[in-house]
Amino acid sequence: MSDAKQVSPAVVRRLPRYYRFLGELLKVNVTRISSRELSEKMGLTASQIRQDLNCFGGFGQQGYGYNVEQLHDEIGKILGLDKCIDAILIGAGNLGRAIANHMSFDQRGFRLIGIFDQNPALIGDKIKGITVTSTDNIETFCKNHSPVVAVLCIPKTATKVISEKLIKSGIKGFWNFSHYDLLDNNPDIIVENVHMSDSLMTLSYKVHEFVDNNNKH
Amino acid sequence: MSDAKQVSPAVVRRLPRYYRFLGELLKVNVTRISSRELSEKMGLTASQIRQDLNCFGGFGQQGYGYNVEQLHDEIGKILGLDKCIDAILIGAGNLGRAIANHMSFDQRGFRLIGIFDQNPALIGDKIKGITVTSTDNIETFCKNHSPVVAVLCIPKTATKVISEKLIKSGIKGFWNFSHYDLLDNNPDIIVENVHMSDSLMTLSYKVHEFVDNNNKH
DNA sequence: TAGATTGTTAATCGATTAACAATC
DNA sequence: TAGATTGTTAATCGATTAACAATC
């Protein structure tokens, strides 16, 4: 009933969206849904949905569709949301603070256990019940608490040095908000880059393209 | 020398990255670069780089490579960074504040001209020199200033209503940070969703997969 | 049983890579 | 000219869509 077949990167990227949509359906007490109905809600094809879900085993039932709650739970398990990964946050500036406060780490399979910053003015602050500590203490903290993931909310100039230090301290995964590209070609680590500035530039491109097309036709 | 051929979505998503990498090279005074050298830095194939850049016309020179500055400028123009789109921010909470302060809108082709929030406690605050105003004033503001893009940093429950109001007020593009999926199937608008929570769940998946594989081998 | 809808194979489409002729 | 490297076509690969037999 669980792990099987090939799971393509494209499918992995869609899993959280399935999870979210199914969660919304649960909230309004929908118990079953067909791939066709779900496809209309999500803007995908029914075929793709069946293909995607079948990577992980037969979640559906012919003639009936999918049980929303069961499917939601299964995808949650596939994503690892029922487990808990210890994470630390590096950088307690505007963005780091927003992420610490705004993100429900515990609902996404993580637990935030430490926050670090270079700036003496921020050290000692409490964010979500965690005291901001000097980046000098990272190695010691990692030795004692073995966090697995680091969330990087630091300027791009600092990213290379800090990430190398973190890798040496045993960090395996990076959620990287800095504008520096942590390349994914290091086999010892997992990187998830969130390039908000790239997203904004893409929006610029798309808006200009849209406006130009509308002026033509 | 400029617009030509088919530009695939995949290429558009890579353009900001090219732009960033070329900007970094410029800073260290690199004047020319070959597709092979750039491919090593960016973790792409040289073939893909030549293919991508050629969508927009012959930026390179056989036997020489690409002129870094010229290529950087051309990609900037393709992205529309030399133009200026007026934008408003809806939601001045943690995340909205961080984005207003942290993002260099003007370096990405935008100008932030208004900030709105529902919460009376925030109205009147100044962020980046802009006074936070009640969401009740959005329509009037749009009539007077005609912003083109809205940045949504609001709870998912509010997104549907607010976005419909904004579309009626003439907003064409959305940079959407709310956990609500603004679907891209409305031909009257452009949507760029930034789903940070999806990114975090994907990281959860990848970290667990990584750890499991390392335990096996 | 009849109707509905999945699971799964085959066909299509698009994006990436390889190869090489053109040319600076 | 010789060497380097692009622009571009052809080959490959992967992901999406279509179709339908299996089955609840």
Side-chain angles (χ1 to χ4, degrees):
Chain A
M1 200 64 144
S2 64
D3 50 343
K5 307 188 194 180
Q6 76 304 346
V7 184
S8 73
V11 175
V12 173
R13 290 234 89 83
R14 275 193 296 272
L15 285 178
R17 257 191 105 221
Y18 285 120
Y19 184 78
R20 272 193 295 116
F21 270 84
L22 292 164
E24 292 300 317
L25 290 170
L26 265 185
K27 273 194 209 154
V28 290
N29 297 312
V30 176
T31 54
R32 67 161 282 273
I33 196 160
S34 70
S35 55
R36 192 185 47 73
E37 288 171 295
L38 190 57
S39 76
E40 281 160 14
K41 287 197 191 300
M42 294 186 65
L44 302 170
T45 65
S47 200
Q48 179 163 63
I49 290 175
R50 292 203 297 280
Q51 198 78 269
D52 283 355
L53 299 180
N54 209 247
C55 293
F56 302 100
F59 292 152
Q61 190 174 354
Q62 276 109 328
Y64 173 83
Y66 299 87
N67 177 302
V68 176
E69 187 169 11
Q70 187 209 320
L71 188 54
H72 181 259
D73 287 359
E74 288 287 353
I75 293 176
K77 274 183 210 157
I78 292 164
L79 287 167
L81 308 186
D82 57 329
K83 307 211 182 67
C84 185
I85 298 171
D86 282 343
I88 56 176
L89 169 65
I90 320 292
N94 266 312
L95 186 63
R97 222 165 257 266
I99 284 169
N101 284 313
H102 179 267
M103 265 300 136
S104 313
F105 282 96
D106 39 329
Q107 280 174 46
R108 317 268 180 250
F110 294 88
R111 185 171 60 147
L112 194 59
I113 61 169
I115 302 179
F116 300 87
D117 204 291
Q118 262 182 327
N119 182 350
L122 299 179
I123 292 168
D125 280 12
K126 280 226 170 195
I127 302 173
K128 280 256 162 173
I130 299 168
T131 306
V132 179
T133 308
S134 163
T135 44
D136 297 340
N137 299 341
I138 290 178
E139 278 104 333
T140 315
F141 184 92
C142 288
K143 238 176 246 156
N144 294 335
H145 299 92
S146 308
V148 176
V149 158
V151 183
L152 303 184
C153 295
I154 53 184
K156 63 167 177 274
T157 44
T159 307
K160 196 172 171 346
V161 171
I162 292 261
S163 65
E164 280 163 5
K165 184 162 142 181
L166 288 164
I167 293 169
K168 278 203 198 104
S169 299
I171 292 291
K172 299 295 176 207
F174 289 90
W175 200 27
N176 178 32
F177 286 82
S178 90
H179 294 191
Y180 178 86
D181 268 62
L182 277 179
L183 286 188
D184 220 346
N185 51 15
N186 180 341
D188 296 334
I189 57 166
I190 293 293
V191 175
E192 177 74 11
N193 288 308
V194 182
H195 285 306
M196 303 201 317
S197 64
D198 286 14
S199 169
L200 188 55
M201 290 190 262
T202 302
L203 181 61
S204 170
Y205 178 91
K206 293 200 286 190
V207 169
H208 285 298
E209 188 194 29
F210 175 82
V211 171
D212 292 351
N213 281 344
N214 277 30
N215 287 349
K216 255 188 269 172
H217 306 306
Chain B
M1 201 65 142
S2 65
D3 49 344
K5 307 190 192 178
Q6 76 305 345
V7 184
S8 74
V11 175
V12 172
R13 289 233 91 82
R14 275 193 295 271
L15 284 178
R17 257 190 105 222
Y18 285 120
Y19 184 78
R20 272 194 294 115
F21 270 83
L22 292 163
E24 292 300 317
L25 289 171
L26 264 186
K27 272 193 209 154
V28 290
N29 298 312
V30 176
T31 54
R32 67 161 281 271
I33 196 161
S34 70
S35 55
R36 191 186 47 72
E37 287 171 296
L38 190 56
S39 76
E40 281 160 14
K41 288 198 190 300
M42 293 186 65
L44 302 170
T45 65
S47 200
Q48 179 164 63
I49 289 176
R50 292 204 298 280
Q51 198 79 270
D52 283 355
L53 298 181
N54 209 246
C55 292
F56 302 100
F59 292 153
Q61 191 175 355
Q62 277 109 328
Y64 173 83
Y66 299 88
N67 177 301
V68 177
E69 187 169 12
Q70 186 209 321
L71 188 55
H72 180 259
D73 287 359
E74 288 287 353
I75 293 176
K77 274 183 210 159
I78 291 164
L79 288 167
L81 307 186
D82 56 330
K83 307 212 182 69
C84 185
I85 298 170
D86 282 343
I88 56 177
L89 169 64
I90 320 292
N94 267 312
L95 185 62
R97 225 165 257 266
I99 283 169
N101 284 312
H102 177 268
M103 265 299 135
S104 313
F105 281 96
D106 39 329
Q107 280 172 46
R108 316 269 179 250
F110 294 88
R111 186 171 59 146
L112 193 60
I113 62 168
I115 302 179
F116 300 87
D117 205 291
Q118 263 183 327
N119 183 351
L122 299 178
I123 292 168
D125 280 12
K126 281 226 169 195
I127 303 173
K128 279 254 161 176
I130 299 168
T131 305
V132 179
T133 308
S134 163
T135 45
D136 296 341
N137 300 341
I138 290 178
E139 278 104 332
T140 316
F141 184 92
C142 288
K143 239 175 243 154
N144 294 335
H145 299 92
S146 308
V148 175
V149 158
V151 183
L152 303 184
C153 294
I154 54 185
K156 63 166 176 273
T157 45
T159 307
K160 197 174 169 348
V161 171
I162 292 261
S163 65
E164 281 164 4
K165 184 163 142 181
L166 289 164
I167 293 169
K168 279 204 197 100
S169 298
I171 292 290
K172 299 295 177 207
F174 289 90
W175 200 26
N176 178 32
F177 287 81
S178 90
H179 293 191
Y180 177 86
D181 268 64
L182 277 179
L183 286 188
D184 220 347
N185 52 15
N186 180 342
D188 297 332
I189 56 166
I190 294 294
V191 176
E192 177 75 11
N193 288 307
V194 182
H195 284 307
M196 303 201 317
S197 64
D198 286 14
S199 169
L200 187 56
M201 290 190 264
T202 302
L203 181 62
S204 170
Y205 178 90
K206 293 200 287 190
V207 169
H208 285 298
E209 188 193 31
F210 175 81
V211 170
D212 292 351
N213 281 345
N214 277 32
N215 287 348
K216 254 189 267 170
H217 307 307

